[in-house]
Amino acid sequence: MWILRRDRLLLLSVLSALLAADVYFHLWPELWLRISRRCNCRAPPPSEGSVTAAGAVQDRTTEGSKLHRLLSHPLYRVPHTTLPAEELLLTRHETTRSYKKRVTNLNRKRRAHHAEGNLSVPLTEVKFDPAAPWLQFHLEISKDALYPRSSSTVDTLINQMNNITIINADYTPDEKALKGECDCTQVVKPSGTHLKLILRFQDFGKAMFKPMRQNREDETPGDFFYFVDYQRHNAEIAAFHLDRILDFRRVPPVAGRFVNLTSDILEVTTNEELQGVFFVSPANNVCFFARCLYMCKTEYAACGNPHLLEGSLSAFLPSLSFAPRLSIPNPWIRSYTFTEKEEWEVNPSFCESLKQIHPYSNIKRLLNMMDLAIFDFLIGNMDRHHYEIFTKFGDEGFLLHMDNARGFGRHSQDEFSILAPLYQCCMIKMDTWLRLKLLTLAEYRLSDVMRESLSHDVLTPILAEPHLLALDRRLLKILEVVDQCVQKYGEETVLRTDFFKQPLPSSIQQKTFSS
């Protein structure tokens, strides 16, 4: 009789322990996440005329919204036209069919792994939805931009990335295929600067997760070289919003999110190498670090509190098997040594020589390089060693403005050399110049529209105030460079209208030019 009672006591103890573990590892982190989002004093309540991260107006009442007025300006309200199939990156039928097969194969592999490992964690099946936001985002990529101005897909995708179920965490085969294996002898870096993971969602979408590494108020130390700087999750978020405000639309959608390192990553990953970099710190916080020759040290780990960690989620582009991309060295690449200089740094005629070489003999490619230089100067990114293009579009395609985590490091310094492409080539797209001029006006001030746009991210505030004010200062410096070029070479040579198809009312032109 005593043995039966002892068995019941033992069973009750085991069930109590399991319940306590479930509360601690699952229910409490979720409750804490909801509390932190609801009680975050840094996040102001949505204002009238709320505008989402991709610019779609959520509310009919938009009085007082500078961002809404900017996106309603004729320079941004270009009539939408249906693009021919050859100007779209993917075809709907073939892409949908291929992704559906991949989902079936993934579910089969996940079930086999789950059965083989006799895992106690419930298996979450991947559900393929032809209307999934990530798939619609892929299908809307065109020769001119990653998403059309009039699309609401990016809004939906960003909102979904905030809370969709994560079913797997791993390293990305796409990235390995594109960038090659990690060669730590080529660049001097301290450990842990490239800490990032690839997260797979329940609807088969993917995003790159970059965790929080430093506070928003911290500036990059003055003794740091650009190639030893931290990667900042908030810089990725801010770069996406700035790219949209400039109407480039070349940065993949990015959203902030609180991630549970235990339930969202450690418990769902099937990669033993990834599992091996997780540990519990002396403060009982869950931490993980990167696994590479120069960054596999626990002192460079990212830690939750105790499980939750904020970070950025950058939506993945289509797989390289569907949409091959070419990674091209930046002609204005910096020297990744302590003493050497590149040709553009010592040769004032570098651009004239570059114009004789393909693909920069194509004026469109060169003008796209000017856009990239302007974008990098505004965010303070000195680490643009490569850029990428979709091979389908060739020289006529746009440049992807990816990997912006080293931006917004120093608000007190403007690195003028980032503008070398602009002041050496002395040319800029007419529509780019018009929008830059527009953003200097008080009613559309760049810092104000950025502040408003960023306020809709769940991790707000994204940027410290000095970084926002630095955008206004840097914008004026860009226009000063253009003015100097115009004085030297004339408007027709500098302000290029080669690809400016939009009719511009004379009233708008006069107001913008005279500002």
Side-chain angles (χ1 to χ4, degrees), residues 96-106 108 128:
T96 303
R97 183 180 60 181
S98 298
Y99 274 130
K100 192 172 183 178
K101 290 182 180 179
R102 290 192 173 197
V103 170
T104 302
N105 292 335
L106 178 62
R108 185 185 303 114
F128 180 73

Side-chain angles (χ1 to χ4, degrees), residues 22 52 59 81 91-92 103 125 212 224 230 254 333 369 400 452 469 496 513:
D22 188 61
T52 62
D59 214 332
T81 56
T91 57
R92 179 175 296 273
V103 170
E125 291 277 328
M212 177 178 178
F224 270 36
Y230 273 123
V254 186
I333 190 174
M369 292 298 300
L400 289 162
E452 183 181 345
L469 299 180
R496 303 302 296 257
F513 282 20

Side-chain angles (χ1 to χ4, degrees), residues 19 21-22 26 40 49 57 70 133 137-138 149 151 167 170 212-213 232 267 292 360 374 399 406 422 429 436 444 515:
L19 178 61
D22 188 61
H26 294 89
N40 185 359
V57 181
L70 175 72
F137 163 60
H138 288 179
R149 295 182 183 93
S151 173
I167 65 164
D170 205 346
M212 177 178 178
R213 304 303 307 277
R232 287 166 286 274
E267 291 183 353
C292 185
Y360 305 102
I374 289 169
L399 313 185
R406 282 189 167 147
L422 183 61
K429 293 179 184 177
L436 294 178
Y444 308 109
S515 60

Side-chain angles (χ1 to χ4, degrees), residues 56 273 309 347 349 375:
E273 184 179 358
L309 178 63
N347 180 10
S349 303
F375 176 73

